[in-house]
Amino acid sequence: MREYDSGIGMRVLAPVIIAVLIVAGFGATLFWPPGGNGTTTTTTTTTTTTNGGGDGYGPLAATFLNSKREDVVFFWMCNSSFVNDDLSTFYNQQHAGTFVDGVQMWRNDTDYCRIEVLFSSAGRVSGEVGPTTWFWLSGSLIDDGIGQMNDATSHPEYWPQTWPVDFFVEVYFEDLTMFYIGYTSSDGLVYICNGTWTGGYTAGGWPEIGELFEGYWLIEGGHLQASISMFYSTITNTVSYPE
């Protein structure tokens, strides 16, 4: 990922980091260094048990995320085919040579959302969507997405198994916790985990993760495709490359 000027100073928030675990369950070894740029790959699989149906880790995660919808500070996306390839290709049509580093989606107290696209050459460019669109995006990701997924009966030893990741989004909350959702089409799996963040940012402008906890593997099963399309259309219809 290219470096960019985030325009955000390091913020000092509450010193207490609150860890929230969604559920105790099957094991998955996580390799994702703080800062969010894990590149280790492996084809090793581990057989696991599964809850499946409507009582697996996907629905449990959806319930957890819905309980914290009013506490969301922002969504963060970067280092994925969705951001670096799909969005870059779109904005290249507006300005040749454009590369998209990341997308940050800020929620305010009235549920309006400021979408900031981070361009390598133009910095941060923003646009705003209303509460209806914000709930529409959240619902497609949580309720219609991971909430509908079954547990994986087998999974790779490490996340991500292949690189690049097709799509991922990190959700950051007011209590300094965060939640990660990642998808790789090569194996049709979604990886979810939660953790903490410091409330600050790295020198490159990334949210600074404190700790990530044990993760859980889900079968994507086509449930994430509508959400990915909604994120794409919302971002590209809201933010234009500056003249």
Side-chain angles (χ1 to χ4, degrees):
M1 177 178 173
R2 304 180 189 182
E3 294 292 302
Y4 54 85
D5 181 4
S6 68
I8 301 176
M10 296 292 288
R11 295 188 296 167
V12 179
L13 299 181
V16 178
I17 296 178
I18 304 171
V20 181
L21 292 175
I22 59 173
V23 66
F26 63 79
T29 303
L30 174 67
F31 188 86
W32 196 267
N37 189 19
T39 57
T40 295
T41 61
T42 178
T43 56
T44 303
T45 58
T46 303
T47 301
T48 66
T49 57
T50 177
N51 290 332
D55 59 352
Y57 295 114
L60 285 172
T63 298
F64 167 76
L65 290 170
N66 278 323
S67 73
K68 294 176 70 67
R69 286 179 76 151
E70 297 301 314
D71 301 323
V72 171
V73 180
F74 61 83
F75 287 3
W76 169 260
M77 293 175 278
C78 68
N79 265 21
S80 66
S81 297
F82 173 79
V83 170
N84 303 137
D85 294 337
D86 298 343
L87 291 181
S88 291
T89 297
F90 173 83
Y91 287 107
N92 257 297
Q93 298 172 6
Q94 298 182 0
H95 184 83
T98 296
F99 183 83
V100 178
D101 281 324
V103 177
Q104 196 163 13
M105 307 177 73
W106 296 85
R107 170 192 168 272
N108 67 22
D109 291 338
T110 57
D111 288 321
Y112 278 82
C113 173
R114 185 176 80 253
I115 300 175
E116 295 184 340
V117 177
L118 287 63
F119 297 104
S120 60
S121 55
R124 290 176 177 255
V125 181
S126 65
E128 188 176 77
V129 297
T132 300
T133 301
W134 174 252
F135 282 113
W136 176 60
L137 284 170
S138 299
S140 69
L141 178 66
I142 298 170
D143 299 317
D144 300 331
I146 61 174
Q148 302 300 315
M149 296 178 192
N150 290 326
D151 299 342
T153 56
S154 63
H155 58 78
E157 184 178 0
Y158 299 110
W159 169 265
Q161 176 185 212
T162 58
W163 189 260
V165 173
D166 289 78
F167 177 82
F168 84 78
V169 57
E170 293 170 343
V171 186
Y172 289 82
F173 302 104
E174 292 176 349
D175 62 4
L176 299 185
T177 61
M178 55 82 64
F179 194 91
Y180 176 94
I181 303 166
Y183 164 60
T184 46
S185 61
S186 59
D187 53 19
L189 296 178
V190 167
Y191 184 81
I192 58 174
C193 72
N194 58 350
T196 64
W197 71 297
T198 66
Y201 297 83
T202 68
W206 294 24
E208 188 173 50
I209 294 175
E211 185 178 6
L212 290 174
F213 302 112
E214 184 178 51
Y216 304 89
W217 300 79
L218 308 174
I219 300 170
E220 190 270 336
H223 296 297
L224 206 57
Q225 300 309 308
S227 179
I228 293 174
S229 296
M230 290 179 187
F231 273 93
Y232 179 87
S233 61
T234 301
I235 293 167
T236 56
N237 287 330
T238 303
V239 179
S240 298
Y241 193 88
E243 298 293 337

